[in-house]
Amino acid sequence: MNYSKPALASLLALALCGCITAPAGPPGPQGATGNTGARGNTGYTGATGYTGATGGTGATGNTGATGGAGATGATGDTGATGYTGATGDTGATGGAGARGNTGPRGSTSPGTIVVVPPQ
């Protein structure tokens, strides 16, 4: 049983290592970037089509004849001007009427006031 004590100690140490974790170390270097694939070829452009022929222009029609001017009618005579009637006389102006007399002036002295009932 010479091996049992060291084996037991190794198993115990191994069991404790599974429970205890050590801090992580520094990160490793970044890996190299992969190569870019080859570029594909560009397709061909199709040929340009032909332009169609232009049609002919039609003939221009003739212009019709211009009609003659009509005859001018005769101008009528102007009628005679009538006479203006005579002006009547102005009537005579009447005289001013006579001026009426003014009645006597009442007094303004304080006195007794007499009230007369209506009849």
Side-chain angles (χ1 to χ4, degrees):
M1 290 265 219
N2 249 349
Y3 294 107
S4 65
K5 284 184 181 182
L8 183 61
S10 294
L11 284 176
L12 184 61
L14 183 62
L16 287 176
C17 283
C19 294
I20 299 172
T21 58
Q30 185 173 355
T33 304
N35 293 332
T36 303
R39 184 174 178 184
N41 293 331
T42 304
Y44 292 108
T45 303
T48 304
Y50 292 108
T51 303
T54 304
T57 303
T60 303
N62 294 330
T63 304
T66 304
T72 304
T75 303
D77 294 331
T78 303
T81 303
Y83 291 107
T84 304
T87 304
D89 294 331
T90 304
T93 304
R99 185 173 179 184
N101 294 330
T102 305
R105 185 173 179 184
S107 64
T108 58
S109 63
T112 305
I113 298 175
V114 178
V115 178
V116 180
Q119 297 187 7

